[in-house]
């Protein structure tokens, strides 16, 4: 394997990948407009952030810090790059 990795962070929290909170801000109505439906659909997509495109791996380890919101879930994906 390479000694360089790409680090991706997928977020679900109050402001990322959260169509439920957006729906509540819209008034939690059952009769939403097609435009609101599209907004909700887009808000529900998994939010991806690239932490690093070419992070250095040392002795098989890569260390980093992230701050996780109280009501949030993150998934970290590490990919070897050439």
């Amino acid at each position: 394997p390479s000694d360089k990795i790409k680090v991706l962070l997928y977020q679900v929290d109050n402001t990322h990948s959260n169509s439920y909170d957006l729906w509540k801000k819209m008034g939690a109505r059952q009769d939403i407009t097609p435009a609101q439906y599209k907004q909700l659909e887009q808000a529900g997509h998994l939010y991806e952030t690239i932490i690093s495109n070419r992070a250095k791996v040392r002795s098989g380890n890569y260390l980093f810090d992230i701050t996780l919101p109280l009501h949030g879930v993150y998934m970290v994906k590490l990919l070897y790059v050439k």
Side-chain angles (χ1 to χ4, degrees):
S2 172
D3 66 342
K4 301 258 191 293
I5 56 173
K6 181 176 186 175
V7 183
L8 301 170
L9 178 69
Y10 297 92
Q11 300 173 245
V12 179
D13 57 33
N14 290 340
T15 57
H16 302 93
S17 309
N18 190 336
S19 57
Y20 179 69
D21 274 357
L22 178 59
W23 175 70
K24 288 192 310 184
K25 287 177 187 171
M26 291 177 174
R29 299 176 51 99
Q30 296 297 314
D31 57 337
I32 59 174
T33 67
Q36 289 172 319
Y37 182 87
K38 187 172 184 172
Q39 277 184 297
L40 290 169
E41 191 174 48
Q42 288 180 341
H45 291 166
L46 194 55
Y47 184 81
E48 175 185 283
T49 302
I50 297 174
I51 294 177
S52 176
N53 275 319
R54 297 189 61 79
K56 181 79 171 157
V57 176
R58 292 193 169 90
S59 301
N61 296 305
Y62 172 70
L63 301 175
F64 65 99
D65 293 320
I66 57 172
T67 302
L68 182 64
L70 182 60
H71 298 286
V73 176
Y74 288 1
M75 179 182 80
V76 179
K77 185 175 184 179
L78 309 173
L79 302 168
Y80 284 110
V81 288
K82 296 180 180 185

Coordinates of all heavy atoms in Angstrom, one line a residue:
P1 N 0.8 -1.2 0.0 CA 0.0 0.0 0.0 C 0.9 1.3 0.0 O 2.0 1.3 0.4 CB -0.8 -0.1 1.3 CG -0.5 -1.4 1.9 CD 0.6 -2.0 1.2
S2 N 0.3 2.3 -0.4 CA 0.9 3.6 -0.5 C 1.1 4.2 0.9 O 0.4 3.8 1.9 CB 0.1 4.6 -1.3 OG 0.5 5.9 -1.2
D3 N 2.0 5.2 1.1 CA 2.1 5.8 2.4 C 1.3 7.1 2.4 O 1.4 8.0 3.3 CB 3.5 6.1 2.7 CG 4.2 7.1 1.8 OD1 3.7 7.3 0.7 OD2 5.3 7.6 2.2
K4 N 0.4 7.3 1.4 CA -0.4 8.5 1.3 C -1.9 8.0 1.2 O -2.2 7.0 0.5 CB -0.1 9.3 0.0 CG 1.3 9.8 -0.1 CD 1.4 11.3 0.3 CE 2.7 11.9 0.0 NZ 3.8 11.4 0.8
I5 N -2.8 8.8 1.9 CA -4.2 8.4 1.9 C -5.0 9.7 1.6 O -4.6 10.8 1.9 CB -4.6 7.8 3.2 CG1 -4.3 8.6 4.4 CG2 -4.1 6.4 3.3 CD1 -4.9 8.1 5.7
K6 N -6.2 9.4 1.1 CA -7.2 10.5 1.0 C -8.2 10.2 2.1 O -8.6 9.1 2.4 CB -8.0 10.4 -0.4 CG -9.0 11.4 -0.6 CD -9.6 11.3 -2.0 CE -10.6 12.4 -2.3 NZ -11.1 12.3 -3.7
V7 N -8.5 11.3 2.9 CA -9.4 11.2 4.1 C -10.7 11.9 3.8 O -10.7 13.1 3.5 CB -8.7 11.8 5.3 CG1 -9.6 11.6 6.5 CG2 -7.3 11.2 5.5
L8 N -11.8 11.1 3.8 CA -13.1 11.7 3.6 C -13.9 11.6 4.9 O -13.8 10.6 5.6 CB -13.9 10.9 2.5 CG -13.2 10.8 1.1 CD1 -13.9 9.8 0.2 CD2 -13.2 12.2 0.5
L9 N -14.8 12.6 5.1 CA -15.6 12.6 6.3 C -17.1 12.7 5.8 O -17.4 13.7 5.1 CB -15.2 13.8 7.2 CG -16.0 14.0 8.4 CD1 -15.8 12.9 9.4 CD2 -15.7 15.3 9.1
Y10 N -17.9 11.8 6.2 CA -19.3 11.9 5.9 C -20.1 12.3 7.2 O -19.8 11.7 8.3 CB -19.9 10.5 5.4 CG -19.2 10.1 4.1 CD1 -18.1 9.3 4.1 CD2 -19.8 10.5 2.9 CE1 -17.5 8.9 2.9 CE2 -19.2 10.2 1.7 CZ -18.0 9.4 1.7 OH -17.5 9.0 0.6
Q11 N -20.9 13.3 7.1 CA -21.5 13.9 8.3 C -23.0 13.8 8.3 O -23.7 14.0 7.3 CB -21.2 15.4 8.4 CG -19.7 15.7 8.5 CD -19.4 17.2 8.4 OE1 -18.8 17.6 7.4 NE2 -19.9 17.9 9.4
V12 N -23.6 13.4 9.5 CA -25.0 13.5 9.7 C -25.1 14.2 11.1 O -24.7 13.7 12.1 CB -25.7 12.2 9.8 CG1 -27.2 12.3 10.1 CG2 -25.5 11.4 8.5
D13 N -25.6 15.5 11.1 CA -25.8 16.2 12.3 C -26.9 17.3 12.1 O -27.7 17.2 11.2 CB -24.5 16.8 12.8 CG -23.8 17.7 11.8 OD1 -24.5 18.4 11.0 OD2 -22.6 17.8 11.7
N14 N -27.0 18.2 13.0 CA -28.0 19.2 12.9 C -28.0 20.0 11.6 O -29.1 20.5 11.2 CB -28.0 20.2 14.1 CG -28.3 19.5 15.4 OD1 -29.0 18.5 15.4 ND2 -27.9 20.1 16.5
T15 N -26.9 20.2 11.0 CA -26.8 21.1 9.8 C -26.3 20.3 8.6 O -26.3 20.9 7.5 CB -25.8 22.2 10.1 OG1 -24.5 21.7 10.4 CG2 -26.3 23.1 11.2
H16 N -26.0 19.0 8.6 CA -25.5 18.3 7.5 C -26.4 17.0 7.3 O -26.6 16.3 8.3 CB -24.1 17.9 7.6 CG -23.1 19.0 7.8 ND1 -22.8 19.5 9.0 CD2 -22.5 19.8 6.9 CE1 -22.0 20.5 8.8 NE2 -21.8 20.8 7.5
S17 N -26.8 16.7 6.1 CA -27.6 15.5 5.8 C -28.8 15.3 6.7 O -29.0 14.2 7.3 CB -26.6 14.2 6.0 OG -25.4 14.4 5.3
N18 N -29.5 16.4 6.9 CA -30.6 16.3 7.9 C -31.9 17.0 7.3 O -32.1 18.2 7.5 CB -30.2 17.1 9.2 CG -31.2 16.9 10.3 OD1 -32.3 16.6 10.1 ND2 -30.7 17.0 11.5
S19 N -32.7 16.2 6.6 CA -33.9 16.7 6.0 C -35.0 16.9 7.1 O -35.9 17.7 6.9 CB -34.4 15.8 4.9 OG -34.6 14.5 5.4
Y20 N -34.9 16.2 8.2 CA -35.9 16.3 9.2 C -35.9 17.7 9.9 O -37.0 18.3 10.0 CB -35.7 15.2 10.3 CG -36.7 15.2 11.4 CD1 -38.0 14.9 11.2 CD2 -36.3 15.7 12.7 CE1 -38.9 15.0 12.3 CE2 -37.2 15.7 13.7 CZ -38.5 15.4 13.5 OH -39.4 15.4 14.5
D21 N -34.7 18.2 10.2 CA -34.7 19.5 10.8 C -35.2 20.6 9.8 O -35.9 21.5 10.2 CB -33.3 19.8 11.3 CG -33.0 19.3 12.7 OD1 -34.0 18.8 13.4 OD2 -31.9 19.5 13.2
L22 N -34.8 20.4 8.6 CA -35.3 21.4 7.5 C -36.8 21.3 7.4 O -37.5 22.3 7.4 CB -34.7 21.1 6.2 CG -35.1 21.9 5.0 CD1 -34.9 23.4 5.3 CD2 -34.5 21.5 3.7
W23 N -37.4 20.1 7.5 CA -38.8 19.9 7.4 C -39.5 20.6 8.6 O -40.5 21.3 8.4 CB -39.2 18.4 7.4 CG -40.6 18.1 7.4 CD1 -41.6 18.3 6.4 CD2 -41.3 17.5 8.5 NE1 -42.8 17.9 6.8 CE2 -42.7 17.4 8.1 CE3 -41.0 17.0 9.7 CZ2 -43.6 16.8 8.9 CZ3 -41.9 16.5 10.5 CH2 -43.2 16.4 10.1
K24 N -38.9 20.5 9.8 CA -39.5 21.2 11.0 C -39.4 22.7 10.8 O -40.4 23.4 11.1 CB -38.7 20.7 12.2 CG -39.0 19.3 12.7 CD -38.5 19.0 14.1 CE -37.1 19.3 14.3 NZ -36.6 18.9 15.6
K25 N -38.3 23.2 10.2 CA -38.2 24.6 10.0 C -39.2 25.1 9.0 O -39.6 26.3 9.0 CB -36.8 25.0 9.5 CG -35.7 24.9 10.6 CD -34.4 25.2 10.0 CE -33.3 24.9 11.1 NZ -32.0 25.0 10.6
M26 N -39.6 24.2 8.1 CA -40.7 24.5 7.1 C -42.1 24.5 7.7 O -43.1 24.8 7.0 CB -40.6 23.5 5.9 CG -39.4 23.7 5.0 SD -39.5 22.3 3.8 CE -38.1 22.8 2.8
G27 N -42.2 24.2 8.9 CA -43.5 24.1 9.6 C -44.0 22.7 9.8 O -45.1 22.6 10.3
A28 N -43.3 21.7 9.5 CA -43.6 20.3 9.7 C -45.0 20.0 9.0 O -45.8 19.2 9.5 CB -43.6 19.9 11.1
R29 N -45.2 20.6 7.9 CA -46.5 20.4 7.2 C -46.5 19.1 6.3 O -45.4 18.7 5.8 CB -46.8 21.6 6.3 CG -46.9 22.9 7.1 CD -47.1 24.0 6.1 NE -48.2 23.8 5.2 CZ -49.4 24.3 5.3 NH1 -49.7 25.0 6.3 NH2 -50.3 24.0 4.4
Q30 N -47.6 18.5 6.2 CA -47.7 17.3 5.3 C -47.9 17.7 3.9 O -47.6 16.9 3.0 CB -48.9 16.4 5.8 CG -48.8 15.9 7.2 CD -47.6 14.9 7.3 OE1 -47.4 14.1 6.5 NE2 -46.8 15.1 8.3
D31 N -48.5 18.8 3.6 CA -48.7 19.3 2.2 C -47.7 20.3 1.8 O -47.9 21.4 1.6 CB -50.1 19.9 2.2 CG -50.3 21.1 3.1 OD1 -49.6 21.2 4.1 OD2 -51.2 21.9 2.8
I32 N -46.5 19.7 1.5 CA -45.4 20.6 1.0 C -45.5 20.8 -0.5 O -46.1 19.9 -1.2 CB -44.0 20.0 1.4 CG1 -43.8 18.6 0.9 CG2 -43.9 20.0 2.9 CD1 -42.5 18.0 1.1
T33 N -44.8 21.8 -1.0 CA -44.8 22.1 -2.4 C -43.7 21.2 -3.1 O -42.8 20.7 -2.4 CB -44.5 23.6 -2.7 OG1 -43.1 23.8 -2.3 CG2 -45.4 24.5 -1.9
P34 N -43.8 21.1 -4.4 CA -42.8 20.3 -5.1 C -41.4 20.9 -4.9 O -40.4 20.2 -4.8 CB -43.2 20.4 -6.6 CG -44.7 20.6 -6.5 CD -44.9 21.4 -5.3
A35 N -41.3 22.2 -4.8 CA -40.0 22.9 -4.5 C -39.5 22.5 -3.1 O -38.3 22.2 -2.9 CB -40.1 24.4 -4.7
Q36 N -40.4 22.5 -2.1 CA -40.0 22.1 -0.8 C -39.5 20.6 -0.8 O -38.6 20.3 -0.1 CB -41.1 22.4 0.2 CG -41.4 23.8 0.5 CD -42.6 24.0 1.3 OE1 -43.6 23.4 1.1 NE2 -42.5 25.0 2.3
Y37 N -40.3 19.8 -1.5 CA -39.9 18.4 -1.5 C -38.5 18.2 -2.1 O -37.7 17.4 -1.6 CB -40.9 17.6 -2.4 CG -40.6 16.2 -2.5 CD1 -41.2 15.3 -1.5 CD2 -39.9 15.6 -3.5 CE1 -40.9 13.9 -1.6 CE2 -39.6 14.3 -3.6 CZ -40.1 13.4 -2.6 OH -39.8 12.1 -2.6
K38 N -38.2 19.0 -3.1 CA -36.8 18.9 -3.7 C -35.8 19.4 -2.7 O -34.7 18.7 -2.6 CB -36.8 19.7 -5.0 CG -35.5 19.6 -5.8 CD -35.6 20.3 -7.1 CE -34.3 20.0 -7.9 NZ -34.3 20.4 -9.2
Q39 N -36.1 20.4 -2.0 CA -35.2 20.9 -0.9 C -34.9 19.8 0.1 O -33.8 19.6 0.5 CB -35.7 22.1 -0.2 CG -35.5 23.4 -0.9 CD -36.0 24.6 -0.1 OE1 -37.2 24.6 0.2 NE2 -35.2 25.4 0.4
L40 N -36.0 19.2 0.5 CA -35.9 18.1 1.6 C -35.1 16.9 1.0 O -34.3 16.4 1.7 CB -37.3 17.7 2.0 CG -38.0 18.7 2.8 CD1 -39.5 18.2 3.0 CD2 -37.4 18.9 4.2
E41 N -35.3 16.6 -0.2 CA -34.6 15.5 -0.8 C -33.1 15.8 -0.9 O -32.3 14.9 -0.5 CB -35.2 15.2 -2.2 CG -34.7 13.9 -2.8 CD -35.4 13.7 -4.1 OE1 -35.5 14.6 -5.0 OE2 -35.8 12.5 -4.3
Q42 N -32.7 17.0 -1.3 CA -31.3 17.4 -1.3 C -30.7 17.4 0.1 O -29.5 17.1 0.2 CB -31.2 18.7 -2.1 CG -31.4 18.6 -3.6 CD -31.3 19.9 -4.3 OE1 -31.3 20.9 -3.7 NE2 -31.1 19.8 -5.6
A43 N -31.5 17.9 1.0 CA -30.9 18.0 2.4 C -30.7 16.6 3.0 O -29.8 16.5 3.9 CB -31.9 18.8 3.3
G44 N -31.3 15.6 2.5 CA -31.1 14.3 3.0 C -29.9 13.5 2.4 O -29.6 12.5 2.9
H45 N -29.3 14.1 1.4 CA -28.1 13.5 0.8 C -27.0 13.5 1.8 O -26.8 14.5 2.6 CB -27.7 14.1 -0.5 CG -28.7 13.9 -1.6 ND1 -28.7 14.6 -2.7 CD2 -29.7 13.0 -1.7 CE1 -29.7 14.2 -3.5 NE2 -30.3 13.2 -2.9
L46 N -26.2 12.4 1.8 CA -25.0 12.4 2.7 C -24.0 13.4 2.4 O -23.5 13.5 1.3 CB -24.4 11.0 2.6 CG -23.5 10.6 3.7 CD1 -24.1 10.7 5.1 CD2 -23.0 9.1 3.5
Y47 N -23.7 14.2 3.4 CA -22.7 15.3 3.2 C -21.3 14.8 3.3 O -20.9 14.1 4.3 CB -23.0 16.4 4.3 CG -22.1 17.6 4.1 CD1 -22.4 18.6 3.2 CD2 -21.0 17.8 4.9 CE1 -21.6 19.7 3.1 CE2 -20.1 18.9 4.8 CZ -20.5 19.9 3.8 OH -19.7 21.0 3.7
E48 N -20.5 15.1 2.3 CA -19.1 14.6 2.3 C -18.1 15.8 2.3 O -18.3 16.8 1.6 CB -18.9 13.8 1.0 CG -17.4 13.4 0.8 CD -17.3 12.7 -0.5 OE1 -17.7 11.5 -0.7 OE2 -16.7 13.3 -1.5
T49 N -17.1 15.7 3.2 CA -16.0 16.7 3.3 C -14.7 16.0 3.0 O -14.5 14.9 3.6 CB -16.0 17.3 4.7 OG1 -17.3 17.9 4.9 CG2 -14.9 18.4 4.8
I50 N -13.8 16.5 2.2 CA -12.5 16.0 2.1 C -11.6 16.6 3.1 O -11.4 17.9 3.1 CB -11.9 16.2 0.7 CG1 -12.8 15.5 -0.4 CG2 -10.5 15.8 0.6 CD1 -12.4 15.8 -1.8
I51 N -11.1 15.9 4.1 CA -10.2 16.4 5.1 C -8.8 16.6 4.5 O -8.1 17.6 4.7 CB -10.1 15.4 6.3 CG1 -11.5 15.4 7.0 CG2 -9.0 15.9 7.3 CD1 -11.6 14.5 8.2
S52 N -8.4 15.6 3.7 CA -7.0 15.7 3.1 C -7.0 14.9 1.8 O -7.6 13.8 1.8 CB -6.0 15.2 4.0 OG -4.7 15.2 3.4
N53 N -6.4 15.4 0.7 CA -6.2 14.6 -0.5 C -5.0 13.7 -0.5 O -5.0 12.7 -1.2 CB -6.2 15.5 -1.7 CG -7.5 15.9 -2.2 OD1 -8.4 15.1 -2.3 ND2 -7.7 17.1 -2.6
R54 N -4.0 14.1 0.3 CA -2.7 13.3 0.3 C -2.1 13.3 1.7 O -1.0 13.8 1.9 CB -1.8 13.8 -0.7 CG -2.3 13.7 -2.1 CD -1.3 14.0 -3.2 NE -0.1 13.2 -3.2 CZ 0.0 11.9 -3.7 NH1 -1.1 11.4 -4.2 NH2 1.1 11.2 -3.7
A55 N -2.8 12.8 2.7 CA -2.3 12.7 4.1 C -1.2 11.7 4.2 O -1.2 10.7 3.5 CB -3.5 12.3 5.0
K56 N -0.2 12.0 5.0 CA 0.9 11.1 5.2 C 0.6 10.1 6.3 O 0.2 10.4 7.4 CB 2.1 11.9 5.6 CG 3.4 11.2 5.8 CD 4.0 10.8 4.4 CE 5.4 10.2 4.7 NZ 5.9 9.5 3.6
V57 N 0.9 8.8 6.0 CA 0.7 7.7 6.9 C 2.1 7.4 7.5 O 3.1 7.3 6.8 CB 0.2 6.4 6.2 CG1 0.1 5.3 7.2 CG2 -1.2 6.7 5.6
R58 N 2.2 7.3 8.8 CA 3.5 7.1 9.5 C 3.3 5.8 10.3 O 2.5 5.7 11.2 CB 3.9 8.2 10.4 CG 4.2 9.5 9.6 CD 4.9 10.5 10.4 NE 5.5 11.6 9.6 CZ 4.8 12.6 9.2 NH1 3.6 12.8 9.6 NH2 5.4 13.6 8.4
S59 N 4.2 4.8 10.0 CA 4.2 3.5 10.7 C 2.8 2.9 10.7 O 2.3 2.3 11.7 CB 4.6 3.7 12.2 OG 5.9 4.2 12.2
G60 N 2.1 3.0 9.6 CA 0.7 2.4 9.5 C -0.4 3.2 10.2 O -1.5 2.7 10.3
N61 N -0.1 4.4 10.7 CA -1.0 5.2 11.5 C -1.3 6.6 10.8 O -0.3 7.2 10.3 CB -0.5 5.4 12.9 CG -0.4 4.2 13.7 OD1 -1.4 3.4 13.8 ND2 0.7 3.9 14.2
Y62 N -2.5 7.1 11.0 CA -2.8 8.4 10.6 C -3.7 9.0 11.7 O -4.7 8.4 12.0 CB -3.6 8.4 9.3 CG -4.1 9.8 8.9 CD1 -3.2 10.8 8.6 CD2 -5.4 10.1 9.0 CE1 -3.7 12.1 8.3 CE2 -5.9 11.4 8.7 CZ -5.0 12.4 8.4 OH -5.5 13.6 8.1
L63 N -3.2 10.1 12.3 CA -3.9 10.7 13.4 C -4.5 12.0 13.0 O -3.9 12.8 12.3 CB -3.0 10.9 14.6 CG -2.4 9.6 15.2 CD1 -1.4 10.0 16.3 CD2 -3.4 8.7 15.7
F64 N -5.7 12.3 13.4 CA -6.4 13.6 13.2 C -7.4 13.9 14.3 O -7.9 12.9 14.9 CB -6.9 13.7 11.8 CG -8.1 12.7 11.5 CD1 -9.4 13.2 11.6 CD2 -7.9 11.4 11.3 CE1 -10.4 12.3 11.4 CE2 -8.9 10.5 11.0 CZ -10.2 11.0 11.1
D65 N -7.8 15.1 14.4 CA -8.8 15.5 15.4 C -10.0 16.0 14.6 O -9.9 16.8 13.7 CB -8.3 16.6 16.3 CG -7.2 16.1 17.3 OD1 -7.3 15.0 17.7 OD2 -6.3 16.9 17.5
I66 N -11.2 15.6 15.1 CA -12.5 16.2 14.6 C -13.3 16.5 15.8 O -13.2 15.8 16.9 CB -13.2 15.3 13.6 CG1 -13.5 13.9 14.2 CG2 -12.5 15.1 12.3 CD1 -14.4 13.0 13.4
T67 N -14.2 17.5 15.7 CA -15.1 17.8 16.8 C -16.5 17.3 16.3 O -17.1 17.7 15.3 CB -15.2 19.3 17.0 OG1 -13.9 19.7 17.3 CG2 -16.1 19.6 18.1
L68 N -17.0 16.3 17.1 CA -18.3 15.7 16.8 C -19.4 16.4 17.6 O -19.3 16.5 18.8 CB -18.3 14.2 17.2 CG -19.5 13.4 16.9 CD1 -19.7 13.3 15.4 CD2 -19.3 12.0 17.4
P69 N -20.4 17.0 16.9 CA -21.5 17.6 17.6 C -22.2 16.6 18.5 O -22.2 15.4 18.3 CB -22.5 18.0 16.5 CG -21.7 18.0 15.2 CD -20.6 17.0 15.4
L70 N -22.9 17.1 19.5 CA -23.6 16.3 20.5 C -24.5 15.2 19.8 O -24.5 14.1 20.2 CB -24.4 17.1 21.5 CG -25.1 16.4 22.6 CD1 -24.2 15.7 23.5 CD2 -25.9 17.4 23.4
H71 N -25.3 15.7 18.9 CA -26.3 14.8 18.2 C -25.8 14.6 16.8 O -26.5 15.0 15.8 CB -27.7 15.3 18.3 CG -28.2 15.4 19.7 ND1 -28.6 14.3 20.4 CD2 -28.4 16.5 20.4 CE1 -29.0 14.7 21.6 NE2 -28.9 16.0 21.6
G72 N -24.7 14.0 16.6 CA -24.1 13.8 15.3 C -23.4 12.4 15.1 O -23.0 11.8 16.1
V73 N -23.3 12.0 13.9 CA -22.6 10.8 13.5 C -21.7 11.1 12.4 O -22.1 11.7 11.4 CB -23.6 9.7 13.1 CG1 -22.9 8.4 12.7 CG2 -24.6 9.4 14.2
Y74 N -20.5 10.7 12.5 CA -19.5 10.8 11.4 C -19.0 9.5 10.9 O -18.8 8.6 11.8 CB -18.3 11.7 11.8 CG -18.6 13.2 12.0 CD1 -19.9 13.7 11.8 CD2 -17.6 14.0 12.3 CE1 -20.1 15.1 11.9 CE2 -17.8 15.4 12.5 CZ -19.1 15.9 12.3 OH -19.3 17.2 12.5
M75 N -18.8 9.3 9.7 CA -18.1 8.2 9.2 C -16.8 8.7 8.5 O -16.9 9.6 7.7 CB -18.9 7.4 8.2 CG -18.2 6.2 7.6 SD -19.1 5.3 6.4 CE -18.9 6.3 4.9
V76 N -15.7 8.1 8.8 CA -14.4 8.5 8.2 C -14.0 7.4 7.2 O -14.0 6.2 7.6 CB -13.3 8.7 9.2 CG1 -12.0 9.1 8.6 CG2 -13.7 9.8 10.2
K77 N -13.6 7.7 6.0 CA -13.2 6.8 5.0 C -11.8 7.1 4.6 O -11.5 8.3 4.2 CB -14.2 6.9 3.8 CG -13.9 5.9 2.7 CD -15.0 6.0 1.6 CE -14.9 5.0 0.6 NZ -16.0 5.1 -0.4
L78 N -10.9 6.1 4.6 CA -9.5 6.3 4.2 C -9.3 5.5 2.9 O -9.6 4.4 2.9 CB -8.6 5.8 5.3 CG -8.9 6.3 6.7 CD1 -8.0 5.6 7.8 CD2 -8.7 7.8 6.8
L79 N -8.7 6.2 2.0 CA -8.4 5.6 0.7 C -6.9 5.8 0.3 O -6.4 6.9 0.4 CB -9.2 6.3 -0.5 CG -10.8 6.2 -0.3 CD1 -11.4 7.2 -1.3 CD2 -11.3 4.8 -0.5
Y80 N -6.3 4.7 0.0 CA -4.9 4.8 -0.5 C -4.8 5.5 -1.8 O -5.7 5.3 -2.7 CB -4.2 3.5 -0.6 CG -3.8 2.8 0.7 CD1 -4.5 1.7 1.2 CD2 -2.8 3.4 1.5 CE1 -4.2 1.2 2.4 CE2 -2.5 2.8 2.7 CZ -3.1 1.7 3.2 OH -2.8 1.1 4.4
V81 N -3.8 6.4 -2.0 CA -3.6 7.1 -3.2 C -2.2 6.8 -3.7 O -1.3 6.6 -2.9 CB -3.8 8.6 -3.1 CG1 -5.3 9.0 -3.0 CG2 -3.0 9.3 -2.0
K82 N -2.1 6.8 -5.0 CA -0.7 6.5 -5.6 C 0.1 7.8 -5.8 O -0.4 8.9 -5.9 CB -0.9 5.8 -6.9 CG -1.5 4.5 -6.8 CD -1.7 3.8 -8.2 CE -2.3 2.5 -8.0 NZ -2.4 1.7 -9.2

